[in-house]
Amino acid sequence: EVQLVQSGGVVVQPGGSLRLSCSGSGFSFDDYPMHWVRQAPGKGLEWVSLISWDGRSTYYADSVKGRFTISRDNSKNSLYLQMNSLRTEDTAFYYCAKDDGFGTSLYYFDSWGQGTLVTVSS
Amino acid sequence: DIEMTQSPSTLSASVGDTVTITCRASQNINNWLAWYQQKPGKAPKLLIYRASALESGVPSRFIGGGSGTEFTLTISSLQPDDFATYYCQHHNISPLTFGGGTKVEIK
């Protein structure tokens, strides 16, 4: 069974930094691209970032480009999102999600983590 | 960027009804469309990809259709477990975008 387990929620001040983590099991982690998707409380879904299976290619939504960095450590079956220069509008549940594509992205998500609430507030 | 527009935003229905949700893309995305179901406090769940391909384990009452710019998700014979919010998402190319969601509520 595919499982994606995320780190716990936090509160951070505007301008601050935070790293989210996501641990995968039940599948060959290093064969699949991975994503981060977020959802502001009571709002819709917003794709944030994608990383290729080998970590060599990364993609970002314009809203986070230059502030967030996606990375992965396949030796630890782990995905990360480094979030810098945080803004109040970054407050959201952040989900890690597995791409359904083996070796190449199919750009949709067949498994999701449980979500982590990031609150940016002074 | 490709804009995805869903309608209606809310839909009231009864158990046993058949309902249809529409999703429109701002440009041709062929059949690169996925549908997700989300319940309160839970992560979304993949229902359909490539417009009409049913994800493993998803009941056959969920039917996806359409191509190009107009797509539908039909749920036949609504079950109590189906009351949730549904999102479409184009899976054509980055940046990926979702529709605004359709909440299916009990009439």
Side-chain angles (χ1 to χ4, degrees), chain A residues 2-5 21-36 51-55 71-80 96-99 101-103:
Chain A
V2 172
Q3 282 201 315
L4 297 171
V5 178
S21 62
C22 169
S23 177
S25 63
F27 66 105
S28 182
F29 185 84
D30 56 4
D31 280 330
Y32 291 88
M34 296 291 294
H35 302 257
W36 289 97
I51 188 167
S52 60
W53 65 272
D54 59 0
S71 62
R72 64 192 296 162
D73 185 340
N74 286 341
S75 69
K76 296 181 179 178
N77 287 355
S78 291
L79 174 73
Y80 306 101
C96 62
K98 172 184 168 291
D99 196 290
F102 180 89

Side-chain angles (χ1 to χ4, degrees), chain B residues 2-6 23-26 29 32-33 71 88-90 97-100:
Chain B
I2 300 171
E3 185 175 343
M4 307 301 294
T5 304
Q6 274 182 248
C23 178
R24 289 185 173 86
S26 61
I29 58 170
W32 303 115
L33 187 94
F71 302 86
C88 63
Q89 175 232 334
H90 83 79
T97 50
F98 291 87

Side-chain angles (χ1 to χ4, degrees), chain A residues 35 37 39 43-47 50 59-62 95 100 106-115, chain B residues 1 34 36 38 42-46 49-50 55 87 89-100:
Chain A
H35 302 257
V37 177
Q39 184 173 38
K43 303 297 184 183
L45 299 166
E46 180 188 14
W47 173 78
L50 158 65
Y59 305 87
Y60 298 92
D62 285 346
Y95 295 98
D100 196 25
L106 294 179
Y107 299 110
Y108 63 89
F109 324 107
D110 65 344
S111 297
W112 297 66
Q114 84 275 20
Chain B
D1 297 0
Y36 301 87
Q38 187 179 32
K42 300 294 186 181
K45 172 188 173 183
L46 176 66
Y49 57 95
R50 250 184 279 135
E55 171 71 347
Y87 294 93
Q89 175 232 334
H90 83 79
H91 61 96
N92 189 28
I93 196 169
S94 173
L96 309 175
T97 50
F98 291 87

Side-chain angles (χ1 to χ4, degrees), chain A residues 61-101:
Chain A
D62 285 346
S63 58
V64 306
K65 200 173 294 182
R67 300 187 299 122
F68 289 11
T69 302
I70 191 171
S71 62
R72 64 192 296 162
D73 185 340
N74 286 341
S75 69
K76 296 181 179 178
N77 287 355
S78 291
L79 174 73
Y80 306 101
L81 186 67
Q82 178 67 42
M83 308 163 67
N84 297 332
S85 302
L86 281 160
R87 306 167 180 167
T88 55
E89 56 263 37
D90 294 319
T91 294
F93 290 92
Y94 284 76
Y95 295 98
C96 62
K98 172 184 168 291
D99 196 290
D100 196 25

